[in-house]
Amino acid sequence: MDEIVTESAGGILRIQLNRPTKRNAMTLAMYVALAEIFNAAANDESTRVVLWHGAGDSFCAGNDIEDFLKNPPGPGESPQARLMDALINFDKPLIAAVHGAAIGGGTTMLTHCDFIYAGESTKFQMPFINLAVVPEFGSSCSVPARIGHIRAAELILLGTPFDAKRAVELGLATEVVPDNDLRAKATDTARKLAAKPAAALQASKRLMKQPFREQIKAAMKAENEEFSAQVRSDDAREAFTAFVEKRKPDFTRNIKSQATA
């Protein structure tokens, strides 16, 4: 599909999110396609490393809201869940070159990458609470495990934006890189990894992930169930309506209505 572009050379599979006018916001079709790409790459012996980036001025602005509201995810199988499974089971090195907006899923998807090079323009955010929903891609488990509960609370419960420098300080990114050098830096690392013994590389990643893999899978399942319930709540309806209407949501409306009744 045109919204995701792939190119393979020298053992490196490049995956580009290609909706620059929408800041590479994800549609359901893109989730499905991306899951299929990762699953195919996992079984392709010629692919040793994956390099993931976005077209235009952003990496990924999260869900395409219009597309998302037409088909919000349920508690079981969903396009988003298919990509989650593909990422958690992906044992080859995964490098992300991130710039501009990395919002919502554009941040949480990155928690499955092994190297995250963040351009100086990068703005990360996990604004799920602001939309009356919960984190996804296992981030409710992986982020506190990586940076501690107190720091995770700042990012998840407040939905606080943070820049590339802060991401590196927290251990959520590998290195801050000037935007103009970003792709070259990520490519250099990909080439170094592609030259290493593939079986040992994949086995090493599996061993690193093994103690946490089942925890992340359990977190994803719990998140999907909670997300499905919350996204259909009155608060979520108000949050998404306010987003579309470009106004600040009023989460006291339901309380006022109940009090009046």
Side-chain angles (χ1 to χ4, degrees):
M1 63 185 302
D2 292 340
E3 293 176 338
I4 299 178
V5 177
T6 62
E7 179 186 0
S8 186
I12 302 169
L13 174 65
R14 296 175 182 270
I15 302 175
Q16 178 177 266
L17 305 180
N18 192 41
R19 295 185 79 207
T21 59
K22 296 290 187 178
R23 297 195 299 168
N24 300 317
M26 297 286 291
T27 63
L28 297 186
M30 289 173 71
Y31 280 114
V32 172
L34 203 51
E36 291 175 350
I37 289 168
F38 275 110
N39 287 332
N43 295 312
D44 179 10
E45 291 186 3
S46 67
T47 297
R48 290 170 167 256
V49 183
V50 171
L51 174 53
W52 191 5
H53 54 87
D57 62 5
S58 293
F59 174 67
C60 176
N63 285 311
D64 181 296
I65 295 298
E66 291 183 10
D67 183 78
F68 175 82
L69 291 177
K70 290 176 185 176
N71 294 287
E77 178 70 14
S78 69
Q80 292 91 336
R82 288 175 64 177
L83 178 56
M84 292 177 196
D85 287 340
L87 288 172
I88 193 65
N89 292 316
F90 195 71
D91 288 334
K92 296 180 180 180
L94 177 53
I95 303 166
V98 186
H99 69 295
I103 309 298
T107 289
T108 55
M109 290 189 293
L110 295 173
T111 60
H112 298 278
C113 295
D114 305 295
F115 298 83
I116 302 169
Y117 294 106
E120 292 174 333
S121 66
T122 310
K123 298 297 180 185
F124 299 94
Q125 188 178 15
M126 294 181 280
F128 303 103
I129 195 74
N130 301 335
L131 295 172
V133 291
V134 299
E136 55 190 0
F137 284 92
S139 58
S140 63
C141 173
S142 62
V143 173
R146 191 174 299 181
I147 69 175
H149 179 89
I150 295 297
R151 288 175 170 174
E154 179 184 1
L155 305 184
I156 293 174
L157 301 185
L158 281 177
T160 305
F162 54 104
D163 61 15
K165 182 180 178 182
R166 181 64 171 159
V168 171
E169 290 173 350
L170 291 171
L172 294 175
T174 306
E175 184 179 336
V176 181
V177 182
D179 283 6
N180 291 338
D181 301 331
L182 181 62
R183 198 76 61 83
K185 176 64 178 180
T187 298
D188 180 60
T189 297
R191 287 173 177 158
K192 289 177 181 177
L193 289 166
K196 296 185 182 297
L201 202 61
Q202 292 170 43
S204 296
K205 179 172 175 176
R206 279 197 303 273
L207 289 168
M208 290 170 66
K209 291 177 68 173
Q210 185 175 354
F212 314 105
R213 196 189 300 258
E214 293 307 315
Q215 293 178 35
I216 299 297
K217 285 183 178 180
M220 287 178 175
K221 183 176 184 296
E223 287 170 356
N224 290 344
E225 292 174 353
E226 195 66 65
F227 196 106
S228 176
Q230 295 298 331
V231 78
R232 291 166 173 81
S233 69
D234 290 338
D235 279 344
R237 189 176 300 110
E238 165 62 11
F240 285 108
T241 299
F243 182 90
V244 172
E245 294 177 354
K246 295 181 172 27
R247 61 173 173 83
K248 186 176 180 180
D250 180 3
F251 295 119
T252 65
R253 286 185 176 189
N254 297 325
I255 297 174
K256 291 175 182 175
S257 298
Q258 291 169 7
T260 303

